[in-house]
């Protein structure tokens, strides 16, 4: 029977010739990632199972990224617990604050994922790594603990939705607009339990940072995973980053899809998700003029070098509006260094922005930029649920770095060309 | 296994940020987590919840973050089981893994009123609304998940197959 790309990966990882949607398979995992919030709990579950060592020390990665630098003693204790587990189990892949960054930026950046991998992480945005042609999905702490012990996990083989991207995106259009367009069409449960499989002629206009953004927020459609076919852009990105060999799998031409979404990238316009759901998507021009207290540029969704370049392009020689504050958070040390070398950080500082260290920080409602009641934030992050970034009475709009930077200059929501 | 309790009802797309807001993700004691359960959407939940209660959701219950803190907070509040039209995939797994059955029963939900007495039989796959005197078919778990529930969740299941006590 013909299979989709996701089905092929799951079949291979569970030593089956074929799988069909609905099958429950036990698949080997090639990467288990955890961070300071869930990994201490994962290690508790790991120890409760009776496990005494990691299934493969090279395939488990621990990252301090959510509550770092520690905003309070409770968070400091949590990070300390993770560090103790890292020592106890002789972990070799550990990223301390200042050595790594936000997990979903550093996992691809440091070559931990290759096409065809099965990757799991203690974070819903683990779907990000599908940009590199891997099956990647988020799990809770118990399942991460068990994955660390056994090196395998059960999955229900998902039905697939094919997303055909055609045409060339216009000026100021990137991965964020593409995923917001998908959210606008199918909503927050339109792909529930499904895989989103990206194909089409338009893919060649999306670089890896765009694809990472799309797969990152694919989870907001309810998708179990999202995956791009491997092409020359993927191979170029992987070169010099990955050390292990990999086979490139392809979906069969006659594979069955539960649904199909076709997007003409040339017709996508700048989009923004209004409070309080990522699928409450508007065209930016529809809500122009909303006054903004804070602009946040960062996160695993849009805190990579391409995002900072786009923000700097808008901010160069301009000032942040006097009624607005701008927080820029490069999402890894590597991104931060690159941004420094390219002069982007200078541009941000000159504009009157505050630069934060790589952290999930305010995106997850943790620290370093929470909102007061009544405040409005335009953010390049992934979720704008009630209270997500602070007060239950605050309002978060999700958009691209271009729109966010322009909004910081104007002090109100505007199109990129209006800054 | 049969769960009986009063219904506490919510709408569609109840996300894990409103079940357990991110600012509490540095808490680990389940009682501390329970003290903030549903805080993002219902600050009265902690006052009205009683042991055995059943949370009733619409579609896509538990969407968003993978934080296992969300079902842990629900369980520690005394909730015995969650029924909904549908669940988000990660929450569904997390809830079952820690021993809070998440049961899909799309037909029952619209007719349930807050406070109705419900009875959920996960083996038979039925939800009874005792208050209304009606019964509905729910999705029955595949055998592998049923086995996991029978031994009290994922960690116990792994212990049982590894032969570790």
């Amino acid at each position: 029977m013909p299979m989709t790309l996701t089905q092929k990966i799951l079949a291979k990882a569970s030593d089956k010739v074929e799988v069909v949607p609905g099958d429950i398979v036990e698949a080997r995992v090639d990467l288990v990632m955890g961070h300071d919030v869930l990994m201490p709990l994962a290690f508790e579950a790991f120890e409760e199972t009776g496990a005494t060592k990691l299934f493969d020390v090279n395939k488990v990665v621990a990252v301090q990224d959510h509550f770092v630098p520690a905003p309070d003693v409770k968070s400091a204790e949590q990070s300390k617990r993770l560090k103790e587990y890292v020592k106890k189990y002789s972990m070799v892949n550990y990223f301390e604050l200042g050595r790594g960054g936000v997990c979903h930026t550093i996992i691809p950046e440091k070559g931990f994922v290759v096409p065809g991998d099965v990757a799991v992480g203690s974070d819903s945005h683990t779907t990000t790594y599908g940009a590199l042609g891997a099956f990647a999905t988020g799990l809770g702490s118990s399942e991460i603990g068990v994955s660390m012990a056994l090196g395998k996990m059960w999955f229900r083989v998902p039905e697939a939705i094919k997303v055909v991207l055609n045409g060339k995106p216009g000026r100021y259009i990137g991965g964020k607009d593409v995923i917001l367009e998908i959210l606008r069409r199918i909503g927050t449960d339109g792909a529930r339990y499904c895989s989103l499989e990206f194909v089409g002629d338009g893919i060649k206009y999306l670089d890896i940072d765009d694809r990472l953004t799309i797969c990152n927020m694919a989870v907001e459609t309810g998708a179990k995973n999202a995956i791009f076919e491997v092409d020359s852009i993927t191979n170029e990105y992987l070169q010099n980053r990955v050390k292990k060999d990999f086979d490139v799998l392809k979906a069969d031409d006659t594979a069955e899809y539960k649904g199909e979404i076709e997007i003409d990238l040339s017709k996508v316009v700048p989009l923004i998700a209004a409070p309080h759901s990522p699928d409450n998507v508007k065209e930016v021009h529809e809500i122009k003029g909303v006054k903004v207290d804070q602009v946040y540029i960062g996160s695993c969704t849009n805190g990579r070098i391409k995002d900072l370049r786009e923000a700097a392009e808008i901010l160069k020689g301009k000032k942040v509006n006097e009624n607005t504050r701008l927080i820029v958070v490069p999402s890894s040390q590597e991104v931060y260094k690159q941004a420094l070398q390219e002069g982007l950080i200078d541009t941000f500082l000159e504009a009157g922005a505050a630069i934060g260290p790589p952290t999930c920080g305010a995106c997850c409602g943790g620290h370093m930029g929470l909102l007061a009641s009544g405040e409005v934030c335009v953010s390049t992050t992934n979720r704008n649920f009630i209270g997500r970034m602070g007060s239950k009475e605050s309002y978060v709009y999700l958009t691209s770095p271009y729109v966010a930077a322009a909004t910081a200059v104007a002090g109100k929501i505007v199109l990129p060309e209006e800054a | 296994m049969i769960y009986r309790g009063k219904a506490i009802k919510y709408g569609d797309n109840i996300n894990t940020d409103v079940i357990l807001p991110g600012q509490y993700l540095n808490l680990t004691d389940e009682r501390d987590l329970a003290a903030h359960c549903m805080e993002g959407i219902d600050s009265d939940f902690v006052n009205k919840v009683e042991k055995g209660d059943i949370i009733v959701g619409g579609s896509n219950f538990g969407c968003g973050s993978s934080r296992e803190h969300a079902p842990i907070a629900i369980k520690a509040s005394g909730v015995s089981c969650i029924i909904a039209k549908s669940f988000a995939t990660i929450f569904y797994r997390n809830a079952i893994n820690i021993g809070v059955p998440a049961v899909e029963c799309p037909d029952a939900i619209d007719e349930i009123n807050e406070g109705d007495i419900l009875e959920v039989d996960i083996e038979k796959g039925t939800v009874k609304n005792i208050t209304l005197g009606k019964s509905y078919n729910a999705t029955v778990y595949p055998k592998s998940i049923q086995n996991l529930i029978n031994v009290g969740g994922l960690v116990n299941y792994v212990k049982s197959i590894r032969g570790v006590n």
Side-chain angles (χ1 to χ4, degrees), chain B residues 26-142:
Chain B
N26 55 6
L27 302 177
T28 44
D29 188 297
E30 60 179 37
R31 286 162 303 183
D32 294 340
L33 292 168
H36 299 288
C37 189
M38 308 307 290
E39 190 173 295
I41 192 161
D42 180 8
S43 49
D44 195 36
F45 174 83
V46 291
N47 301 319
K48 68 188 177 194
V49 67
E50 293 175 310
K51 192 163 172 51
D53 280 355
I54 294 172
I55 287 184
V56 179
S59 61
N60 206 26
F61 189 92
C63 59
S65 158
S66 66
R67 60 191 68 166
E68 204 161 300
H69 308 61
I72 291 171
I74 288 174
K75 186 183 184 187
S77 300
V79 170
S80 62
C81 128
I82 308 165
I83 66 171
K85 287 183 184 171
S86 62
F87 290 90
T89 174
I90 305 174
F91 182 90
Y92 186 70
R93 299 172 71 113
N94 284 347
I96 291 169
N97 284 336
I98 63 159
V100 184
V103 177
E104 289 188 329
C105 188
D107 296 341
I109 306 302
D110 288 339
E111 293 179 348
I112 295 171
N113 297 303
E114 174 101 4
D116 283 359
I117 301 299
L118 307 177
E119 208 174 84
V120 181
D121 185 329
I122 59 168
E123 270 139 46
K124 285 197 191 136
T126 57
V127 171
K128 281 186 192 158
N129 188 326
I130 305 294
T131 307
L132 297 181
K134 292 180 93 168
S135 184
Y136 310 85
N137 288 329
T139 308
V140 181
Y141 292 120

